Amino acid sequence: MKKKIALISGITGQDGFLLAKFLIEKNYIVHGIKRRSSSLHSTVRLDTIYQDKFVKNQSLHLHYGDVSDPAFCCRILKDIKPDELYHLAAQSHVAISFELPHYTASVNSLGTLNLLEAIRINSLEKKTRFYNAGSSEMYGSLKGSSQNEKTPFCPQSPYATSKLFSYWITKNYRESYKIFASNGILFNHESYSRGETFVTRKITMFVAKYNKLKKGTLYLGNLSSKRDWGFAGDYVQGMWKIIQHPKADDFVLATGKSYSVRDFLREAFKCINIEIVFKGKGSKEIGFDLKTKKIIVKSIAHYYRPNEVTNLIGDYSKAKKLLKWKPKTKFKALVKMMVSSDIKGYLQQN
Ligand code: NAP
Ligand code: G4F
């Protein structure tokens, strides 16, 4: 049987890597867009699945490109003509979007438009199924008990606002040009491959270092903010299921439970047998080791955002019903998986 061809924008990121791995295991030929970088570091996640480009019959092919370049988007779609296009490329850091709002909008909003236009210009409306990486950040802070596909959006950052354009233009091209274009509205999902400056990975990497050195301070922002944290491995399967669904549509993927940054810290330090307790409020809060009384965590104003989404909880019942998708990994198992992986990584490198 002819192998399916997938194109992934953002293949060098957490989700791109995990999705590529998943699709290769499903016997796809995977093409990915990578940005030119001055070092090899940006493709480090892909090292385990990449073979030299001169090896015959390989499943993974990388192409230099940038989604903010419309000519490139047109050319790659013309050359690859993918059955499935997973658009994951983004300036995905919410705090950085306040520092780089224009850049964030141009990559996240226009990048999506460039790829949708490339499908249309190359007359691939009937051939290429399009997945857009929408975000729970589009909702803003939780008002009711949970957020689903019908909850009104109320973006609270340049990142969330840029993702809303991306969400609506995907819907618009679905309705106007009959492109199979679906939005995933994904709540936070983490893994051992999570970017090092997102809060979960920042914590687990610190815990791994502290486990060995027994010293140092972790500086963080708002410890009270709550997120619905799932495992990225479960979510890339959800992306694939969204694209396999007979009809293009929008789906929330989440766990339905939320935990604070403080909860994450407690659980992560528990993995190295430290009971961490907290004292103080806001940017004066500290976390210390109950046994030794050493201060390990400090909340500082520097990491606070100009506007904060205080809580997010997703209702994934539509995905459960129509896609038969549900998250398999629970919060505690996720924290443990990330801490164990970082401990192993730290010990190998030091
Ligand atoms: P990530 O680790 O930050 O990866 C982002 C990817 O986009 C990287 O491969 C990056 O390349 C690439 N990229 C950035 N700007 C680009 C450009 N102009 N042209 C081409 N590629 C570009 O993000 P992630 O966690 O995997 O998330 C994947 C997508 O899902 C993003 O769109 C994110 O906004 C969205 N999302 C994520 C979550 C989550 O919790 N992880 C939740 C909801 C939605 P470099 O490696 O070169 O930087
Ligand atoms: O890990 P975060 O930076 O993730 P955030 O802002 O929720 O965004 C992630 O999830 C979104 C889905 O909801 C994605 F769309 C987006 O692309 C990204 O993947 O921050 C989580 C929480 C925030 O409330 C933040 O204020 O942790 C708080 N936090 C506290 N101290 C911190 C820190 N966040 C970071 N990055 N660094 C800190 O030192």
Side-chain angles (χ1 to χ4, degrees), residues 82-331:
D83 299 297
E84 299 172 9
L85 167 50
Y86 296 88
H87 172 40
L88 312 180
Q91 190 305 88
S92 73
H93 204 285
V94 177
I96 290 170
S97 79
F98 287 99
E99 289 176 39
L100 300 173
H102 190 284
Y103 172 75
T104 302
S106 106
V107 171
N108 297 5
S109 304
L110 297 183
T112 309
L113 177 60
N114 291 338
L115 288 171
L116 285 165
E117 268 295 271
I119 292 179
R120 204 171 68 84
I121 290 167
N122 287 299
S123 306
L124 292 169
E125 294 94 330
K126 292 208 171 71
K127 161 96 177 156
T128 302
R129 292 186 167 207
F130 182 78
Y131 171 88
N132 177 53
S135 164
S136 51
E137 279 287 310
M138 300 188 303
Y139 292 121
S141 295
L142 181 72
K143 292 185 185 80
S145 57
S146 62
Q147 292 144 323
N148 67 22
E149 296 79 3
K150 294 200 171 105
T151 306
F153 297 119
C154 184
Q156 288 177 218
S157 64
Y159 168 80
T161 310
S162 72
K163 282 283 178 181
L164 259 187
F165 177 89
S166 189
Y167 167 89
W168 283 114
I169 202 71
T170 298
K171 235 172 144 61
N172 187 236
Y173 271 56
R174 170 162 88 217
E175 286 159 9
S176 308
Y177 305 116
K178 309 287 172 259
I179 294 175
F180 188 109
S182 296
N183 284 298
I185 307 174
L186 272 51
F187 284 64
N188 297 52
H189 44 277
E190 319 294 311
S191 74
Y192 40 82
S193 269
R194 183 58 145 154
E196 294 88 344
T197 60
F198 295 98
V199 77
T200 55
R201 190 76 198 288
K202 191 169 161 183
I203 294 170
T204 60
M205 285 178 73
F206 178 85
V207 168
K209 196 169 156 196
Y210 196 87
N211 181 48
K212 179 87 172 129
L213 304 181
K214 308 281 182 261
K215 62 176 187 195
T217 311
L218 175 61
Y219 295 96
L220 294 171
N222 186 354
L223 306 188
S224 299
S225 97
K226 295 171 97 179
R227 290 290 182 271
D228 178 332
W229 276 302
F231 170 49
D234 294 341
Y235 288 55
V236 298
Q237 295 195 22
M239 292 176 194
W240 178 77
K241 286 192 165 201
I242 289 173
I243 284 292
Q244 309 315 307
H245 191 58
K247 196 168 149 269
D249 203 344
D250 306 323
F251 292 95
V252 162
L253 302 184
T255 71
K257 296 200 166 53
S258 92
Y259 295 89
S260 66
V261 174
R262 205 178 291 110
D263 293 332
F264 196 101
L265 281 161
R266 273 197 205 101
E267 210 48 54
F269 277 100
K270 223 187 262 174
C271 298
I272 57 165
N273 300 317
I274 288 179
E275 188 177 345
I276 185 164
V277 285
F278 294 90
K279 205 170 78 180
K281 278 212 165 98
S283 59
K284 299 275 177 288
E285 185 165 355
I286 54 162
F288 60 92
D289 181 339
L290 182 66
K291 214 190 265 168
T292 64
K293 310 289 181 245
K294 262 196 227 171
I295 296 174
I296 314 178
V297 175
K298 280 186 179 174
S299 172
I300 56 166
H302 174 83
Y303 287 117
Y304 275 65
R305 297 170 182 186
N307 199 1
E308 176 67 281
V309 171
T310 50
N311 194 7
L312 290 169
I313 306 180
D315 165 8
Y316 64 94
S317 27
K318 181 175 169 185
K320 190 175 173 193
K321 188 171 166 215
L322 298 182
L323 306 176
K324 310 275 174 269
W325 178 89
K326 63 176 185 186
K328 295 187 199 108
T329 315
K330 300 267 182 306
F331 178 71

